[in-house]
Structure formats: structure tokens, C-alpha cells
Amino acid sequence: MWPLTEFIEENRDTPGMAEFNKPLHQGARGLQQLTLLMIAEGMANPDFLAAGATDYCRYMSNILLGYMWAKMAKICLEKKGDPFYDAKLASARFFFKRIYPETAGLAAKIQSGPKSLMDYPAEMM
Amino acid sequence: MVVWDPPIRDYQFLYHELLPIIETVQRLGYSDFDADFLDSLMEGWATHCEEVWLPINMLGDREGLKFEDGKITMPPEFKDAYRQGIDEGWLSTACEPEHGGMGVPLFFQAVTWAEFGTSACMALSVLPALSIGVYEILVKHGRQDLIDYFATNLASGEWSGTMCLTEPHAGTDLGIIETKAIPQDDGTYRISGPKCFITYGEHDMADNIVHLVLAKAPGGPEGTRGISLFLVPKFLPQDWESGGLEDTSHALTSEYNGVTCSGTEEKMGLHASPTCVMNFDDSVGWLVGPLHGGMPLMFEMMNRERLATGLMGVGLAHSAYTNSLAWARERRQGRSLKGVQDPDEPADNILVHPDVRRMLLEAKVNNEGSRALAAWIGLLLDQMHSDDPEEAEMATALVALFTPIAKAHFTDLGCETCPRQCRSWEGPATSVNMGSSSSTVTSESARYGREPTESKPSTWQGARLLRTSARTSAI
């Protein structure tokens, strides 16, 4: 089984995990929706896949890194007071507050499709 | 002064707490591989990198290599450092003990070895990384007499390896390569054609260079499905004509096997890593793997090379970060917007400025996260070889999904992170003597060293990602 969904389920009520688990859950659902969108649109227009591919790859990278950070945060929550684990927890918070939110922008770019790229007059580039 | 702080504590956290590394690899057959041994490996490799590789890194970029009359001369300091790596066995950790290797699980060389080596001296670390790639393909798919003849010297580093894929007109589109392989009565082939961007295609640090060359033999289909893989050594075994690869002295002929280097690329950075234009002219080669089945072999090896390339992004970004942090801790400029923090000093330490912290923390957190994902992928590389078909299948699917992502994202992050580290330096960032600026230029090389993600997105990112993610029930 895909370990990410399992992890999100398991930690729904784990104390202290909400600030990591919730955005991860949201992002994973977003990934699912983007994937379905790309499959649906890509059938009729392969440029839709190609135009969103790099952003999709980066979106998925953020989800995978978010998964690793949530797992690391869980370990660190149990070892509070030790500077190494406290710093690691602070790293996890920084990731979810200041790096991971780029997923929202990436999703918007993917959803916009290939039109703004492919309609641009090539001779004017 | 360039500093480097090997992230051993970080890896200990990943290997001993985050991932079930030790119990998994023990179950997979590495029964005497324990936590203490892993720690001593990391410390030993970090020490070697710090004492032998790091001191020659800047020298390599400053002096670079010399190309003259088809021959490449490396800086003598590089030769010494490479030799020391051979003597201490650091170039062959993942190779089989029967070939003189350390025989430790794959994840160590694929992750920690790759990151530390890149941080310390990327120009040198790519050479053993390539040789090990060639070694792995050969040992897994080569004829036994080829393995017997070439594997031990490839593992130790006495001979080095290359991957010859790209041709001047065929980069990401390998289906249109023109290099030909003509079969001979004695079972060998004659390889002819041009290849370019061949890392360490020619150099003087090893006695022989073993090229793995993609070429087209007659009778195959069009496109990538007609490609086969050939082993073409720079110097031929002495008795090859009598069919003899049995000579265990590994004596070589002294004449070139029609393999010539006509020049090297003038790169932005990484000046001590030869990027060669090669030509094969009726060169003797041996088929490796099935005829017209070269591409799947190449992709098999690519998983580990991709992860290693991703780790280049991490290694360079970590170097840039540690150098910038050392500077930022000392540097005083301006005052905190919330009021003077150090009234006895003419200015506050720059860590009071939120935007300086942003640049440093983005680097630190990106590196730590990437390292964690890389460590997991490293473990999956070992799990791919599990006897349990379910475990092997799952690991194979996840590796296929994760490695292109790790490669693209980690190198992108490296390219974004390194210049940001320079920015925290202000003016001195422009000096090549500062570790961050060197990493910045080199990180671009790492990004271009991968196959460009942007040029074929519909093929490998769109379709492949969607296919593999569907297969792993990610959606």
C-alpha cells in the first residue's frame, strides 16, 4: 500500500501532529485532483500534460518532502528538550510554513493549461 | 577559506531513527552490517573527504585539466588524491567482495558517499561514481569472461568507466543515434561513431578506461529499441585476438583501440572534470546484455545515477550553506528593525535580519528534507533486490516514481539555494575563494548533468510519472 495515505490516516489525532498532517493531507488530495485533471485533459490535448509536467513534478516533490518532514516531526515531538530534535522540529515548521505553500501556486499554473504558452505568437518570441 | 561540516549527525538521525535501515539490510542478507559499522563508515568517508578531497577542490577549478594532442593531463594533486582513494578502498564500497569491494549495501554509496564526495570535490567524485555504474551493469549483464577480466579493476578504481550515450545531434532523443556496431566472426563488434559530453572519456589517472557505448547493430528496429550496449576499452586486453580474456595478469596492449578524444568542453565551472568529445573508429567492442536491448539496461543503472545526481544538488547546496553560515555568524551589518541588539558593537549580527535567515534556512531545510527522501530511496534501492517478490516489486515501483523526482528537484533546489547563499555574503560573494560562489557555478553543472527535464516533459515527466504513480496506487 502507498505509505503516504496510511501515514496521514494514522496521525489524524496524534497530539501535536495537526500542523504537519493537515497541510500534508490537503496537498495529497490536491495531487490526486491534479493527476485526474491531467489525465482527463491530456487525453484530448497532450500539450496539457507537457505544459504542466515540470510544475506537476515539483508539486509531487513537495508532497514527498512533506511526508518526510511529517515523519521526522513525529519522532522529534517525542524528544522535545534536546537541541538537535528541537531544531529538527523547527525545520519541519519552516518547511510547512515557508516552502510547502508553493504548492498552491504550482497547482494554479498546472490548472491554467497550455494556452498561454502555445497561443503566444512564436515569431514574436 | 572553504569550510565543510559533514552532516553525519543528520544521517545518523535518518538511518537510525527515521528509517529501519539496519534491520532491513540485515534481513536482505547483509547480516554483519550494524549501526556501529555504518557510523564508522560515515565518519571514515567524511574524514577522507575532508583531508584528501576538500583541499584540492578549489585547486581543481583554478588550474583545471590540460588537453594536448588527444591526451588529458589531470593536476598531480588529483592523481594523488584518487590514488589514495583506491589504496584506502573508498571507491568501491558497494562492489562485491569477490571483486575486492567492501560489499556494503547500495544506499551508502548512493546517498551518503555521493553527498560527501560532491561537497568535498565534485570534479573528482564523478569518476568513481561512473566506474561503479559501469561495474554494476557489467556484473549484472555481462558475459562471465568480461566480468572476470574487467570487474575487479573497475571496482578498485585502477581502471575507470564511462557511459557514452550522447552524440552531437542526439541528446535526450537517443533513438536517432548513428554510432554503428558491425558484428565480426570472432563474436566481437567494431564500433564507429562520435560521442560527446563524455565525462572522464579521457584522462591519465587510471591505466585503462572502459567505455559503455550505445550503438546500433544491423537488423534492429528503428528508434531506441534498436540500440545495443557495448563494452569498448581504451586499451585492449593483450590476448584478445586469440579470444583470450582469461589472462589473469590483466595485461593490456599499448595501442589505442581506435578510441580518440578530440577535445573537451569549456564549462562554466567544474574545470577539473573532463567533459570529452570522443570518437570511436572501428574500435573493438563486446556486446553487454541482449542484442537490441541496450536501453532497458541503461535505465536500470540510471536509477542510481539519477539519485546520485540529485545528491550532487544537496552536496553543493550544503557546502554553500556551511560556508555562508560561517560568514553570517561573524558578519555585522545594519541594525535590527526592532531596535539595536548589540549596542557595544557598530552594527548587529546579520542573523537579526529576517531575509538573511530566510536564505540560510531555505538551504538548511531543503537540504535536510532532500537528505531524508534520498535516504529512503537509497533503502528502496536495496529492497529492489529482496527475495520477497512483493517487497521487490513495491520497491521497484517506488524507485521508478521517486528517482526522477529526486534528481530534478534536488538539483533545482541546489541551483536555487547556492546563489541565495552567495547573496548573504554581499560583495565577497563574487570572489572565487568563497565556497558558496564555487558551489553556485558547479550546481548549474549538476543541473545540466542530468537529462534536461524540460525538453521531454511529455515523455518522461507527464506520461511516465502518471503511469508510475498510478501503478503505486498513489492516486
Side-chain angles (χ1 to χ4, degrees), chain B residues 251-267:
Chain B
L252 298 165
T253 57
S254 58
E255 277 174 39
Y256 277 103
N257 178 23
V259 186
T260 48
C261 171
S262 60
T264 59
E265 306 293 338
E266 185 58 53
K267 299 192 294 298

Side-chain angles (χ1 to χ4, degrees), chain B residues 308-376:
Chain B
T309 307
L311 265 308
M312 289 177 187
V314 181
L316 294 167
H318 180 69
S319 261
Y321 166 71
T322 47
N323 282 280
S324 293
L325 182 67
W327 165 266
R329 284 204 189 286
E330 303 295 323
R331 182 71 170 168
R332 293 178 176 279
Q333 291 289 288
R335 291 297 188 183
S336 162
L337 293 175
K338 290 165 76 180
V340 174
Q341 300 293 303
D342 285 333
D344 297 340
E345 300 284 347
D348 287 336
N349 177 250
I350 59 173
L351 288 176
V352 301
H353 305 308
D355 208 50
V356 171
R357 285 181 168 243
R358 174 187 65 86
M359 292 188 280
L360 290 165
L361 284 174
E362 277 179 356
K364 182 172 197 279
V365 171
N366 279 334
N367 289 339
E368 289 176 1
S370 301
R371 224 170 255 140
L373 180 54
W376 183 26

Side-chain angles (χ1 to χ4, degrees), chain B residues 235-419:
Chain B
F235 295 114
L236 285 163
Q238 207 164 45
D239 299 328
W240 75 273
E241 268 175 309
S242 50
L245 288 170
E246 290 88 21
D247 177 11
T248 49
S249 71
H250 296 144
L252 298 165
T253 57
S254 58
E255 277 174 39
Y256 277 103
N257 178 23
V259 186
T260 48
C261 171
S262 60
T264 59
E265 306 293 338
E266 185 58 53
K267 299 192 294 298
M268 291 187 288
L270 212 58
H271 298 305
S273 164
T275 304
C276 301
V277 183
M278 302 298 295
N279 194 60
F280 295 86
D281 183 13
D282 218 23
S283 307
V284 176
W286 287 268
L287 180 69
V288 176
L291 188 64
H292 310 311
M295 284 307 280
L297 267 62
M298 201 52 92
F299 277 117
E300 195 181 285
M301 191 213 64
M302 278 297 171
N303 278 329
R304 236 195 58 195
E305 298 289 320
R306 279 189 177 126
L307 184 58
T309 307
L311 265 308
M312 289 177 187
V314 181
L316 294 167
H318 180 69
S319 261
Y321 166 71
T322 47
N323 282 280
S324 293
L325 182 67
W327 165 266
R329 284 204 189 286
E330 303 295 323
R331 182 71 170 168
R332 293 178 176 279
Q333 291 289 288
R335 291 297 188 183
S336 162
L337 293 175
K338 290 165 76 180
V340 174
Q341 300 293 303
D342 285 333
D344 297 340
E345 300 284 347
D348 287 336
N349 177 250
I350 59 173
L351 288 176
V352 301
H353 305 308
D355 208 50
V356 171
R357 285 181 168 243
R358 174 187 65 86
M359 292 188 280
L360 290 165
L361 284 174
E362 277 179 356
K364 182 172 197 279
V365 171
N366 279 334
N367 289 339
E368 289 176 1
S370 301
R371 224 170 255 140
L373 180 54
W376 183 26
I377 302 173
L379 179 61
L380 289 168
L381 287 175
D382 280 304
Q383 287 179 283
M384 282 171 71
H385 303 289
S386 169
D387 293 335
D388 172 3
E390 205 176 313
E391 181 182 18
E393 194 189 342
M394 185 63 185
T396 305
L398 288 178
V399 164
L401 177 63
F402 292 168
T403 45
I405 291 176
K407 180 179 187 179
H409 195 54
F410 297 174
T411 49
D412 277 347
L413 290 178
C415 288
E416 290 163 23
T417 299
C418 292

Side-chain angles (χ1 to χ4, degrees), chain A residues 58 61 79 85 88 91, chain B residues 10 17 368 405 416 466:
Chain A
R58 189 157 175 129
S61 305
K79 298 195 170 177
Y85 298 95
K88 195 62 91 184
S91 290
Chain B
D10 219 26
E17 294 187 77
E368 289 176 1
I405 291 176
E416 290 163 23
L466 285 171

